[in-house]
Amino acid sequence: MTSPAPAPVAIDPAVFDPELPWQRARSVALRPEPFGALVYHFGTRKLSFLKSKTLVRVVETLADHPTATAALLAFEVPEPQRASYVKALADLARSQMIERRSA
């Protein structure tokens, strides 16, 4: 008796992997503010705050880099701070403010 084929693994588009290519979602606008930026998603009507100007620049230029990690390196985010930036990007992915893009 043979075992059934394993079920395909569903890939959640909101799961954040910093080694993949990302971009700001097409339905998202960034408005610069003295503290960083307001991020608004026109589809979900969700409003978020980016409290770091470096994070704003990373989000604005994600599409210019092969991976999110490359974007963090381009803006010289120090190694001890990278985990907090990756967490912030993961939160933005979960709230659909950034999305995966094809390489």
Side-chain angles (χ1 to χ4, degrees):
M1 180 172 200
T2 61
S3 341
V9 176
I11 297 174
D12 182 351
V15 172
F16 184 75
D17 180 347
E19 297 307 318
L20 294 175
W22 292 85
Q23 65 186 9
R24 180 173 39 138
R26 290 179 270 288
S27 55
V28 167
L30 282 167
R31 186 176 90 185
E33 294 289 339
F35 58 81
L38 292 174
V39 186
Y40 182 73
H41 192 295
F42 290 97
T44 63
R45 297 185 174 180
K46 183 169 175 84
L47 179 67
S48 294
F49 300 90
L50 301 183
K51 298 177 186 172
S52 160
K53 291 183 180 188
T54 300
L55 182 58
V56 173
R57 291 192 306 265
V58 168
V59 170
E60 288 176 326
T61 64
L62 277 172
D64 299 334
H65 300 281
T67 66
T69 299
L72 294 172
L73 292 172
F75 287 101
E76 300 178 356
V77 174
E79 179 69 36
Q81 295 176 8
R82 277 195 211 131
S84 63
Y85 278 80
V86 169
K87 181 188 179 314
L89 291 170
D91 291 343
L92 290 170
R94 267 190 299 283
S95 61
Q96 302 173 359
M97 300 294 191
I98 64 172
E99 61 192 10
R100 286 187 192 170
R101 64 179 163 81
S102 55

